[in-house]
Structures are given as structure tokens and as C-alpha cells.
Amino acid sequence: MSEAIKNRYDFVVLFDVENGNPNGDPDNGNAPRVDLDTGHGIVTDVCLKRKIRNYVETVKENEAGYQIYIKEGVPLNAKDAQAFAELSVDEKKIPALKKDDPSLDGKIRDFMCSRFFDIRTFGAVMTTFVKANLNCGQVRGPVQFGFAKSVDPIVPQSLTITRVAITTEKDAEKKKTEMGRKEIVPYGLYRAEGYVSANLARKVTGFSEADLELLWEAILNMFEHDRSAARGKMAVRELIIFKHDSELGNASAHKLFDSVVVKRKDSEMQPRCYGDYEVEIQEEKIPEGVTCIRKN
């Protein structure tokens, strides 16, 4: 494994959606997620992580060290079993093996982190190891996201759609079209905030500089290979990175986030594109020991 990163990072991601549903709520007819008190749109952290996983899987194509642990259609315990097989560990004899080799937990954890990019990045709960009484079953990753929230309240729309293809022959005798609905946000600019812990990278997963560059690339391009009619036009507009000069950081994350101000150019007009906003970095709020990097 490459050497772990040595600097802490905090970051802000600005992305938008046009005539699409960025993250449907299955408990609400798959309508766009909304904070019921404020009307602001919400996109969950797991939704954003899924996009990043998909991008890495697409560009790396199972390259060694960049496999994805959490993916559709592959049971997790099958991947956990790879560690047992390659390290010649008999799952039924783990208590005895741990007595002979106290470092067994660390070996299994390091194997999983070295093989799977998303474990190295986000961490994971590996149930097979938890049930086997191994201390490596829960890995805390150095990269964490909060929920994304729209800069302004959104007004979701439910549109009626029709199709001429009828599902059954019986229905075709009665009608020529079928009705459906499509849930969209006409326009919304969303802001997500995240954290990269060099301390956890060094102590736990070995998240490296190469991993970090791939993470930034994946964030900037996470919608480029994830197109669908349901999601409309989605794009990452800007990635604002705060690099600390030290492993533990030189400023509080919330103070750095406060230095990023996003506001409408015309407060009277309903925003319908990214150009309706301006993004300001209040550099006087950024202390010594922290460098601001803007990517788009």
C-alpha cells in the first residue's frame, strides 16, 4: 500500500439539477427529498457515495486495489470470504488463531482496505467478521459526507405522463394509453460538505495521495456516467477544498465552511440556472495554515 495522506482536508461540493429528481424518497412516492420545515431539497450522503463508487468502478474496471466492496448484485460475505481464503484463515478456528497470532485482526483489515477503494475511503461494516468476533469488522473511513441541502427552497413538481404501450392484453381492450407520474425539481443548486481525516487514514485504512486525487476526480465527475431521464441534467459546478498544513488540522471545519457564501444574484427572481448564483470565498475567514483550492 502507498503511504497514507499527511494533511487533513475539508471540502464543499456545489452541484445542481435541472428538470430531474436528484434523490427520490421511497417513503413519499419517490418524490424529491425535502426538509418539510424549510422546503430545502435534500440529497443523502449514501446517494453521493454511490455515485463516487460507480465512477471509480467505471474508470478503474477492477484494477488491483480499486475494487468496490458495496455494489449491486454481489453479496458482501462473498467478498469477506476472499480475505479468509487468501490469508488461509479457517473461519471456524478464529479464537484459536487469534491466540497464536494477535495481529490477525489487523491483517484482515489491511487486506480488505488494500483491495477495496470504498473501504479504504469510506470505511465499512463487514458483518462476516463481526459475527466471527474479529475486531476488524467495523472500519471507520477517513472520508465522510454530510447530507447535501439546496441553497434555496425547492418546489418539486409532479407531472402526469402517458404511454401508448399497454401492459396487458386485457387492459388493451379497454384503453389506448396508460397514465403515470414523474417527479422533478425544475432547478436546484445543492451544497454538500465533507471531511478527510489524515489521522484515520494513517491509523486505519491507509488512504493515500493517489486515493485522494481519485476522490477529487470522482466528485467532479460523479454525474457524468450516471445519466438517466429521471435525474434530468445534473452537474458538479465547483469543488472547494481546504487543505490543512497538518494531520489534525489548523482550523475548525465549520468556520471554513462559513467562508463559502453562495447567494442569488437577483433575490426577486426564481433561480433556473447556475448563472443565477454567485459563489464567494471570504478569504479573511481562512486562517494561516489552511490553503483554499477551487476545482471545477
Side-chain angles (χ1 to χ4, degrees), residues 65 85 146 175 202 265 278 292:
K175 56 187 177 182
R202 175 175 60 84
K265 294 178 180 178
E278 59 182 3
C292 180

Side-chain angles (χ1 to χ4, degrees), residues 116-159:
F116 298 101
F117 173 83
D118 53 338
I119 295 180
R120 203 161 58 245
T121 305
F122 304 126
V125 176
M126 294 169 279
T127 309
T128 302
F129 303 146
V130 173
K131 290 181 177 179
N133 294 318
L134 287 162
N135 294 328
C136 59
Q138 296 186 33
V139 175
R140 187 178 173 196
V143 179
Q144 299 299 330
F145 278 86
F147 281 18
K149 186 173 74 171
S150 64
V151 175
D152 287 304
I154 61 172
V155 184
Q157 295 182 11
S158 182
L159 307 178

Side-chain angles (χ1 to χ4, degrees), residues 61-77:
E61 297 224 357
N62 285 322
E63 180 180 325
Y66 293 95
Q67 293 184 36
I68 298 301
Y69 181 69
I70 299 177
K71 60 188 292 186
E72 184 179 357
V74 182
L76 299 181
N77 62 1

Side-chain angles (χ1 to χ4, degrees), residues 108-215:
I108 294 175
R109 181 200 66 198
D110 291 346
F111 174 87
M112 298 300 285
C113 288
S114 65
R115 174 158 294 196
F116 298 101
F117 173 83
D118 53 338
I119 295 180
R120 203 161 58 245
T121 305
F122 304 126
V125 176
M126 294 169 279
T127 309
T128 302
F129 303 146
V130 173
K131 290 181 177 179
N133 294 318
L134 287 162
N135 294 328
C136 59
Q138 296 186 33
V139 175
R140 187 178 173 196
V143 179
Q144 299 299 330
F145 278 86
F147 281 18
K149 186 173 74 171
S150 64
V151 175
D152 287 304
I154 61 172
V155 184
Q157 295 182 11
S158 182
L159 307 178
T160 301
I161 58 175
T162 61
R163 69 176 187 182
V164 296
I166 309 302
T167 303
T168 67
E169 293 180 357
K170 185 177 180 181
D171 288 341
E173 295 174 358
K174 302 176 184 178
K175 56 187 177 182
K176 295 183 179 180
T177 61
E178 288 189 342
M179 310 292 285
R181 304 201 69 78
K182 191 169 187 177
E183 310 285 344
I184 68 164
V185 176
Y187 182 79
L189 176 62
Y190 288 74
R191 171 176 174 154
E193 297 166 349
Y195 317 84
V196 184
S197 169
N199 187 253
L200 284 174
R202 175 175 60 84
K203 290 182 176 180
V204 183
T205 73
F207 184 80
S208 68
E209 290 291 342
D211 294 328
L212 182 69
E213 289 306 312
L214 180 57
L215 174 69

